Amino acid sequence: MAITKITTPDLIDLPFNNTDGIVLAKGPTAAVTSVQYLVVAGGGGGGYDDSGGGGAGGLLTATADFTVSTPLDLTIGIGGTGAQISPTKGGNSTFANIVSDGGGAGIQVSGAAQDGGSGGGGSGNGGDQSPGTATTGQGFVGGQGYPRVSNDEAGGGGGGAGAAGAA
């Protein structure tokens, strides 16, 4: 049986109860310098009743070159919280130096919908009906809310990763 020699020092982090073992490369391996990535951020929270919907988290995909054996940070953004008065924006996701913006929150009464990877939907409850805008190249604008005529007008839909939110 041939012996496999590891020529590049590497840290191996083992879990406390490792039952699956470790697989090490045999023979020479090619250095990977080009990585295809998909970075998706958390979606924004929507409001209740006649509020605007939350926007989708930003979406970035491409191929990038990285230095071999350099640690790459990874952060996964959580979704925003839906709420009657103040829903929250989604969290940003990062891979190395690539940042995907969290989705904008939809708003019910006070203030405009938030901007984000995709924008939040505008209010249908007498506030600002303007939708949130999207980060260029990451998503789409939210939908326009209907002006308040009665007590229950529809809020605009949040922007998606593939299309603008509906009014």
Side-chain angles (χ1 to χ4, degrees), residues 86-158:
S86 299
T88 60
K89 180 178 177 177
N92 293 349
S93 291
T94 62
F95 172 62
N97 60 347
I98 300 158
V99 179
S100 181
D101 293 338
I107 296 299
Q108 185 182 26
V109 180
S110 60
Q114 292 179 350
D115 300 334
S118 286
S123 172
N125 192 15
D128 185 347
Q129 286 85 35
S130 300
T133 61
T135 303
T136 303
Q138 293 191 21
F140 290 86
V141 66
Q144 179 80 20
Y146 288 98
R148 185 175 184 168
V149 176
S150 66
N151 288 338
D152 295 313
E153 297 299 331

Side-chain angles (χ1 to χ4, degrees), residues 63-75:
T63 300
D65 293 331
F66 294 100
T67 305
V68 176
S69 75
T70 300
L72 300 174
D73 293 328
L74 176 67
T75 304

Side-chain angles (χ1 to χ4, degrees), residues 3-128:
I3 296 175
T4 300
K5 185 184 262 186
I6 299 173
T7 57
T8 305
D10 219 8
L11 293 176
I12 300 174
D13 188 11
L14 298 175
F16 179 72
N17 291 323
N18 183 16
T19 58
D20 296 330
I22 302 170
V23 177
L24 298 175
K26 286 186 177 181
T29 57
V32 176
T33 59
S34 184
V35 176
Q36 259 189 323
Y37 64 84
L38 169 66
V39 182
V40 181
Y48 299 152
D49 299 329
D50 43 11
S51 303
L59 181 139
L60 292 171
T61 183
T63 300
D65 293 331
F66 294 100
T67 305
V68 176
S69 75
T70 300
L72 300 174
D73 293 328
L74 176 67
T75 304
I76 299 174
I78 62 172
T81 304
Q84 178 98 22
I85 303 297
S86 299
T88 60
K89 180 178 177 177
N92 293 349
S93 291
T94 62
F95 172 62
N97 60 347
I98 300 158
V99 179
S100 181
D101 293 338
I107 296 299
Q108 185 182 26
V109 180
S110 60
Q114 292 179 350
D115 300 334
S118 286
S123 172
N125 192 15
D128 185 347

